[in-house]
């Protein structure tokens, strides 16, 4: 039967399919209709604000107002948990075997039924840890994480019952701030329900943990406490060698471009004034470390050694991957693990920090398969023997290091020695403080994360303070600076990119106002500083503690454990950071690669600012937008949220 025509007129030009008549509908559909929503436009109406637009029933952020989205979007953690549970139910329905997470502890039915039932209490657990050798803080079904080891220790100590030992969600575990692989925390907080009748429960938990993880204390809270939701702000510390604020070498690509562009902009005198306190460093280094060694070399190879020392660098693609210039990290892409291994070996060879050690010789002669790679503090594996085959004529250095390569390694080691002996002057420290002060306040930090624009409201963050410690510290003849940032919340990579930008501005001798320009609509490529130096100092619960004082509740914080935390930081965090930097030269390699990156994408650090990037054409701004192999990452989450690579 043909449906009757609709004779009513409408200003909407889109064609709307006419509904069938009642006689065409099956009896089951003739039930009493539900009340109409609003003004007759239900959720499925084409004009309704909640109408679907290509994503099923999901309401898009841009289809609703900011307040409505914030009110209805709910807790991201809850959505993630619901999605995981849905996927688990689907696997069970399909008959797919469900693999137990690595942190789950199995008990027999008899053991569970025979255990005495004891009451659980909602608590805040204050913890500290060194992230070396762990795949971050957050629980992972297949990887070793901080929370995984903590949960197993809770079970072993009797703080979690045997009935709940297979799933932390049964104990309502919620973390305050997640940290990424290798990132440390002197103080972090998790909230959950624990059995805390035993007065020695903290000691028993610590007895079942490695020295890298400590539980400082456990505090009773109200039943609605959430370590994530109740946190007002977070304080992070970042440790960085002072030589990272030295200017680029005058013979490097960036060093030459800074002088050249300063002259073009008529700012050469201003540039020299901003670099006045370090103007003689490289000349003195040449006289003390480079020239005496060059005199011992065959005169025929001296020019070749100098040219390779200051001009040869990894390819631009390798640099982009190493520096994470606002791009997707190969480290997070399982499809490129083999490529990453090969490139990492090539980059290390190009910026070798010292004489070859036995382990480095092995690394140069064989690519270690992904299955045998591990973290420095985890179990080690013997490298595979090189496969016999035809020699590669393009890389003879892999077989027999030449005299030039041997000389290069010695010189690079000498340059690192010179950098480590650098002591930053007070005027340089003052300049760093003035740059860090420009971060305070509420600003759009879209250039300090990925996947966000200046117009994105979520890119606005509040920085309460960003300070530099009054005096540097000397560790193993290297001077280190301690930077402390206090913010309400942070996006992925934000802190590491803020530190990197501050170092780049100071070492490049450009105007400190470049930080203010980064809050504008222009897209700047900001490398992220190494995660090695990042440390969560502590979260802050001011509002919760203020309400609790009137109710007689104990405060959630780290008062009373300062001495133990200080000893732990020194032993398990600071010393690990220094050892790993001395071994891997992470900061040296990063800034050496930046100085020799032959691209216009970082020339906004010059006196000409963003104009220099625009003049660079495809080599500059276009690469910042994801061209030429620099793939921009997708939408990010908060650094303190989940899940992301923060």
């Amino acid at each position: 039967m043909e449906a009757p025509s609709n004779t009513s007129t409408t200003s909407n030009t889109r064609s709307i399919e006419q509904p069938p008549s009642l006689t065409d509908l099956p009896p089951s559909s003739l039930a009493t209709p539900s009340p109409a929503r609003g003004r007759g436009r239900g959720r499925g109406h084409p004009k309704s604000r909640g109408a679907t637009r290509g994503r099923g029933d999901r309401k898009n952020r841009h289809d609703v107002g900011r307040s409505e989205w914030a009110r209805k979007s709910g807790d991201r953690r809850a959505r993630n948990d619901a999605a995981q549970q849905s996927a688990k139910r689907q696997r069970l329905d399909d008959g797919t075997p469900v693999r137990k997470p690595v942190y789950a502890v199995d008990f027999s039915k008899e053991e569970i039924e025979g255990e005495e039932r004891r009451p659980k209490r909602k608590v805040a657990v204050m913890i500290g840890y060194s992230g070396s050798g762990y795949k971050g803080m957050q629980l992972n079904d297949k990887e070793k994480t901080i929370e995984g080891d903590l949960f197993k220790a809770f079970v072993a100590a009797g703080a979690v019952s045997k009935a709940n030992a297979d799933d932390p969600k049964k104990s309502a575990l919620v973390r305050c701030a997640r940290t990424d692989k290798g990132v440390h925390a002197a103080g972090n907080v998790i909230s959950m329900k624990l059995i805390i009748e035993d007065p020695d429960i903290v000691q028993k938990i610590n007895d079942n943990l490695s020295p890298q993880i400590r539980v400082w204390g456990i505090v009773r809270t109200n039943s609605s406490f959430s370590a994530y939701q109740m946190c007002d702000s977070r304080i992070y510390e970042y440790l960085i060698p002072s030589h990272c604020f030295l200017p680029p070498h005058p013979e490097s690509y960036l060093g030459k471009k800074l002088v050249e562009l300063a002259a073009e902009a008529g700012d050469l005198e201003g540039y020299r004034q901003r670099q006045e306190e370090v103007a003689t460093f490289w000349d003195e280094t040449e006289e003390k470390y480079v020239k005496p060694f060059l005199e011992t070399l065959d005169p025929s190879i001296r020019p070749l050694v100098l040219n390779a020392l200051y001009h040869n660098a990894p390819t631009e693609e390798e640099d982009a991957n190493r520096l994470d210039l606002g791009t997707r990290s190969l480290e997070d892409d399982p499809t490129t693990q083999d490529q990453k291994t090969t490139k990492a070996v090539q980059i290390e060879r190009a910026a070798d920090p010292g004489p070859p050690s036995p382990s480095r010789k092995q690394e140069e002669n064989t690519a270690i398969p992904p299955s045998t790679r591990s973290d420095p503090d985890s179990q080690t594996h013997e490298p595979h023997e090189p496969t016999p085959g035809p020699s590669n004529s393009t890389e003879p250095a892999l077989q027999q290091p030449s005299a030039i390569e041997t000389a290069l390694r010695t010189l690079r080691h000498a340059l690192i020695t010179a950098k480590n002996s650098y002591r930053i002057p007070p005027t340089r420290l003052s300049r760093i403080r003035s740059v860090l002060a420009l971060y305070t306040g509420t600003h759009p930090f879209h250039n300090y994360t990925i996947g966000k624009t200046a117009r994105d409201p979520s890119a606005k963050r509040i920085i309460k303070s960003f300070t530099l410690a009054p005096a540097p510290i000397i560790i193993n003849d290297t001077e280190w600076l301690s930077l402390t940032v206090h913010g309400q919340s942070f996006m992925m990579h934000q802190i590491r990119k803020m530190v990197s930008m501050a170092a780049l501005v100071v070492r490049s001798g450009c105007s400190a106002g470049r930080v203010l320009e980064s809050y504008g609509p222009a897209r700047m490529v900001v490398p992220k500083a190494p995660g090695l130096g990042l440390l969560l100092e502590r979260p802050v619960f001011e509002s919760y503690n203020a309400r609790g004082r009137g109710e007689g509740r104990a405060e959630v914080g780290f008062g009373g454990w300062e001495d133990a935390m200080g000893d732990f930081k020194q032993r398990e965090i600071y010393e690990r950071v220094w050892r790993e930097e001395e071994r891997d030269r992470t900061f040296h390699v990063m800034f050496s690669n930046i100085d020799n990156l032959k691209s216009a994408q970082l020339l906004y650090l010059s006196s000409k600012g963003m104009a220099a990037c625009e003049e660079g054409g495809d080599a500059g701004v276009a690469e910042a937008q994801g061209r030429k192999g620099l793939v921009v990452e997708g939408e990010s989450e908060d650094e303190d949220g989940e899940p992301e690579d923060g």
Side-chain angles (χ1 to χ4, degrees):
M1 178 179 177
E2 185 178 352
S5 61
N6 189 355
T7 58
S8 60
T9 60
T10 177
S11 59
N12 189 357
T13 60
R14 289 182 294 179
S15 174
I16 302 176
E17 184 181 355
Q18 302 303 323
S21 64
L22 295 179
T23 58
D24 292 332
L25 298 175
S28 60
S29 63
L30 299 180
T32 303
S34 58
R37 300 182 183 179
R39 300 181 180 178
R41 296 178 180 177
R43 181 175 182 131
H45 193 282
K47 293 184 181 180
S48 66
R49 298 185 77 179
T52 59
R53 299 188 181 181
R55 292 193 180 183
D57 292 333
R58 178 180 174 184
K59 183 177 291 187
N60 295 327
R61 180 180 302 185
H62 301 294
D63 295 338
V64 298
R66 186 187 307 175
S67 300
E68 183 179 353
W69 171 262
R71 184 171 60 254
K72 293 188 176 182
S73 61
D75 184 5
R76 181 168 53 249
R77 292 168 180 255
R79 296 200 305 273
N80 291 337
D81 291 344
Q84 293 172 4
Q85 290 299 321
S86 176
K88 182 177 180 180
R89 286 193 298 270
Q90 183 65 38
R91 290 195 298 270
L92 291 173
D93 294 341
D94 295 342
T96 305
V98 179
R99 180 181 176 183
K100 288 278 188 182
V102 295
Y103 50 80
V105 182
D106 280 330
F107 291 98
S108 67
K109 182 179 179 181
E110 292 74 17
E111 288 176 311
I112 294 175
E113 292 177 348
E115 183 183 31
E116 178 187 359
R117 298 195 61 173
R118 292 175 293 169
K120 297 184 293 185
R121 307 298 182 190
K122 192 63 173 292
V123 298
V125 184
M126 274 62 72
I127 61 174
Y129 51 85
S130 166
S132 298
Y134 287 89
K135 298 294 184 179
M137 165 73 173
Q138 183 178 337
L139 286 167
N140 188 305
D141 289 356
K142 301 177 182 179
E143 303 284 359
K144 179 182 179 183
T145 65
I146 300 294
E147 282 184 343
D149 277 15
L150 274 170
F151 184 71
K152 288 188 286 187
F154 291 150
V155 174
V160 172
S161 67
K162 295 177 181 178
N164 296 334
D166 61 336
D167 189 356
K169 293 184 179 64
K170 294 180 180 179
S171 300
L173 188 152
V174 175
R175 72 198 63 83
C176 173
R178 74 174 293 279
T179 53
D180 196 15
K181 172 185 174 183
V183 177
H184 318 290
N188 202 349
V189 175
I190 59 176
S191 57
M192 61 188 303
K193 295 178 181 179
L194 291 180
I195 302 169
I196 55 173
E197 295 175 337
D198 189 339
D200 299 324
I201 190 63
V202 172
Q203 182 61 47
K204 289 182 178 179
I205 294 172
N206 283 328
D207 289 343
N208 287 279
L209 289 169
S210 74
Q212 282 184 241
I213 309 176
R214 292 290 90 183
V215 172
W216 305 124
I218 299 176
V219 174
R220 282 283 304 272
T221 66
N222 60 22
S223 59
S224 63
F225 177 78
S226 167
Y228 177 68
Q229 300 289 350
M230 302 294 183
C231 181
D232 295 305
S233 58
R234 299 158 179 87
I235 301 175
Y236 283 84
E237 180 182 12
Y238 194 91
L239 300 172
I240 184 171
S242 64
H243 63 67
C244 295
F245 296 89
L246 281 168
H249 192 280
E251 293 297 321
S252 67
Y253 175 82
L254 183 59
K256 289 181 177 180
K257 296 298 289 186
L258 291 175
V259 176
E260 174 188 329
L261 295 173
E264 291 182 12
D267 185 45
L268 187 57
E269 186 60 31
Y271 170 79
R272 288 172 175 167
Q273 289 179 357
R274 292 189 292 272
Q275 301 282 39
E276 183 178 6
E277 66 271 14
V278 290
T280 62
F281 174 82
W282 289 114
D283 290 338
E284 293 172 354
T285 298
E286 294 277 338
E287 293 293 332
K288 184 176 180 180
Y289 295 96
V290 177
K291 289 184 178 180
F293 177 75
L294 289 177
E295 293 175 356
T296 66
L297 298 178
D298 187 326
S300 63
I301 68 171
R302 289 177 189 172
L304 300 176
V305 171
L306 281 177
N307 183 71
L309 180 64
Y310 297 130
H311 300 291
N312 287 2
T315 66
E316 188 171 335
E317 181 184 0
E318 291 169 346
D319 272 334
N321 291 331
R322 181 67 179 236
L323 299 176
D324 277 332
L325 299 176
T327 67
R328 184 179 182 185
S329 172
L330 290 178
E331 187 171 317
D332 306 319
D333 189 350
T335 65
T336 58
Q337 289 297 315
D338 292 332
Q339 298 175 17
K340 183 190 74 173
T341 305
T342 304
K343 289 179 180 179
V345 173
Q346 292 172 347
I347 292 171
E348 182 68 19
R349 188 185 306 122
D352 195 350
S357 62
S359 61
R360 186 165 294 150
K361 286 182 179 178
Q362 290 175 337
E363 186 179 25
E364 289 178 346
N365 284 278
T366 179
I368 303 175
S371 61
T372 63
R373 290 195 304 268
S374 62
D375 290 295
D377 294 280
S378 62
Q379 61 179 354
T380 58
H381 303 271
E382 290 296 327
H384 289 194
E385 292 297 326
T387 303
S391 61
N392 187 347
S393 59
T394 61
E395 294 190 40
L398 292 177
Q399 305 299 329
Q400 295 293 334
S402 66
I404 294 178
E405 287 179 326
T406 302
L408 277 174
R409 290 180 180 179
T410 303
L411 279 178
R412 285 177 177 137
H413 181 68
L415 289 179
I416 288 179
T417 301
K419 284 184 175 183
N420 291 343
S421 64
Y422 171 71
R423 300 296 177 259
I424 193 166
T427 52
R428 203 74 165 173
L429 292 174
S430 298
R431 182 163 165 76
I432 296 172
R433 291 189 177 96
S434 65
V435 173
L436 296 178
L438 298 178
Y439 287 128
T440 58
T442 304
H443 304 289
F445 287 95
H446 57 285
N447 277 319
Y448 297 87
T449 186
I450 54 177
K452 294 187 184 294
T453 65
R455 299 182 61 182
D456 192 336
S458 65
K460 285 193 175 182
R461 300 292 158 130
I462 301 174
I463 303 299
K464 297 176 178 290
S465 65
F466 207 148
T467 59
L468 174 66
I473 53 178
I474 308 297
I475 303 296
N476 296 335
D477 297 327
T478 301
E479 186 179 64
W480 290 75
L481 306 180
S482 173
L483 284 60
T484 303
V485 57
H486 184 188
Q488 191 176 62
S489 63
F490 300 93
M491 296 177 289
M492 178 162 54
H493 307 327
Q494 181 182 342
I495 297 174
R496 292 161 65 181
K497 285 177 175 280
M498 292 166 71
V499 171
S500 176
M501 175 64 96
L504 291 174
V505 167
V506 172
R507 72 193 302 271
S508 299
C510 69
S511 169
R514 203 70 79 242
V515 172
L516 300 178
E517 294 176 22
S518 70
Y519 304 145
R523 184 64 180 171
M524 291 183 177
V525 177
V526 183
K528 62 179 181 182
L532 174 67
L534 186 59
L535 161 70
L536 173 61
E537 182 67 27
R538 67 183 184 277
V540 180
F541 297 86
E542 292 177 354
S543 301
Y544 175 82
N545 288 336
R547 293 193 302 269
R549 293 187 193 103
E551 302 172 4
R553 289 197 307 264
E555 293 191 0
V556 176
F558 297 88
W561 299 295
E562 291 91 345
D563 292 342
M565 291 174 66
D567 294 340
F568 177 82
K569 283 201 306 184
Q570 180 69 30
R571 181 183 67 255
E572 297 293 339
I573 298 179
Y574 290 160
E575 291 185 5
R576 284 181 186 271
V577 171
W578 298 325
R579 286 199 306 267
E580 291 179 23
E581 172 59 18
E582 186 174 4
R583 181 194 66 206
D584 301 330
R585 308 297 185 188
T586 307
F587 289 96
H588 165 77
V589 171
M590 172 190 170
F591 286 103
S592 294
N593 287 341
I594 286 177
D595 294 346
N596 290 286
L597 180 63
K598 295 179 175 63
S599 171
Q601 54 189 329
L602 294 178
L603 294 186
Y604 64 81
L605 297 168
S606 68
S607 299
K608 297 185 73 171
M610 287 301 297
C613 296
E614 296 167 1
E615 293 170 2
D618 287 345
V621 177
E623 286 186 341
Q625 296 171 347
R627 293 173 57 183
K628 282 199 171 184
L630 300 187
V631 182
V632 178
E633 292 186 72
E635 184 177 354
S636 66
E637 302 284 353
D638 289 351
E639 184 158 29
D640 302 311
E642 64 176 5
E644 65 358 78
D645 176 36

